[in-house]
């Protein structure tokens, strides 16, 4: 389990610059419509069974989530971290935090969606996912080892 700030930052640096460019381009390409989340389900079918409501995310947003998952999601006790971190849920203060905290916050939302439908929508609405991407951009541009090679 990767938990230390330096280990997480080293893991980020191991990804090629092209992958980071793909993430940032996907984020930059998001339109307001891509950020809209609709909910389906919640209706009773003919057999009397009600399907629970679930969020429907746009393809552009899901591309960003996939790239975040590949680049920045790390294995650690994210449920415990969310209970104790002042960065969760909105990401306030993330700009000044170690880049590892951006990964932790990204992990909490990406993994959280598996357990709670709408976790990603929450991170989208409260600005946390934008804060994650902005912190990763700054790390990429200013802190990443070998950044002159991009």
């Amino acid at each position: 389990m990767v938990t230390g700030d330096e280990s997480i930052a080293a893991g980020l640096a191991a990804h090629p610059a092209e992958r980071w460019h793909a993430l940032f381009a996907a984020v930059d390409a998001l339109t307001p419509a891509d950020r809209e989340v609709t909910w389906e389900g919640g209706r009773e079918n003919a057999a009397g069974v009600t399907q629970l409501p679930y969020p429907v995310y746009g393809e552009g947003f899901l591309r960003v989530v996939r790239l975040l998952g590949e680049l920045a999601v790390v294995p650690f006790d994210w449920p415990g971290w969310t209970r104790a971190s002042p960065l969760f849920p909105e990401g306030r203060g993330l700009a000044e935090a170690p880049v590892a905290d951006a990964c932790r916050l990204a992990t909490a939302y990406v993994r959280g969606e598996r357990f709670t439908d709408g976790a990603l929508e929450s991170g989208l609405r409260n600005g946390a996912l934008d804060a994650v991407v902005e912190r990763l951009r700054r790390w990429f541009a200013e802190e990443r080892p070998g950044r002159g090679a991009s």
Side-chain angles (χ1 to χ4, degrees):
M1 191 175 290
V2 177
T3 58
D5 290 358
E6 289 179 13
S7 296
I8 292 172
L12 295 176
H15 295 290
E18 296 79 30
R19 301 292 294 143
W20 291 105
H21 291 297
L23 170 64
F24 302 140
V27 170
D28 293 342
L30 289 176
T31 67
D34 292 323
R35 292 173 170 268
E36 290 300 315
V37 179
T38 59
W39 284 77
E40 298 288 332
R43 295 177 198 89
E44 188 174 321
N45 67 19
V49 176
T50 301
Q51 179 184 30
L52 292 174
Y54 60 92
V56 178
Y57 299 107
E59 276 306 307
F61 179 68
L62 288 175
R63 176 168 166 67
V64 168
V65 171
R66 273 192 304 275
L67 288 165
L68 274 175
E70 294 169 9
L71 296 169
V73 169
V74 295
F76 82 109
D77 177 20
W78 59 268
W81 182 84
T82 62
R83 288 188 294 274
S85 176
L87 296 173
F88 187 82
E90 293 92 5
R92 287 191 194 118
L94 189 59
E96 297 80 33
V99 71
D101 281 336
C103 295
R104 292 180 182 106
L105 191 56
T107 301
Y109 280 104
V110 172
R111 294 285 185 240
E113 183 72 22
R114 291 180 159 205
F115 298 96
T116 305
D117 285 339
L120 286 169
E121 179 185 25
S122 177
L124 187 60
R125 299 279 174 254
N126 69 22
L129 294 175
D130 289 325
V132 164
V133 171
E134 288 311 308
R135 181 61 184 95
L136 291 170
R137 279 185 203 267
R138 195 176 97 229
W139 166 83
F140 183 83
E142 300 173 12
E143 302 168 25
R144 179 180 53 98
R147 61 190 166 276
S150 60

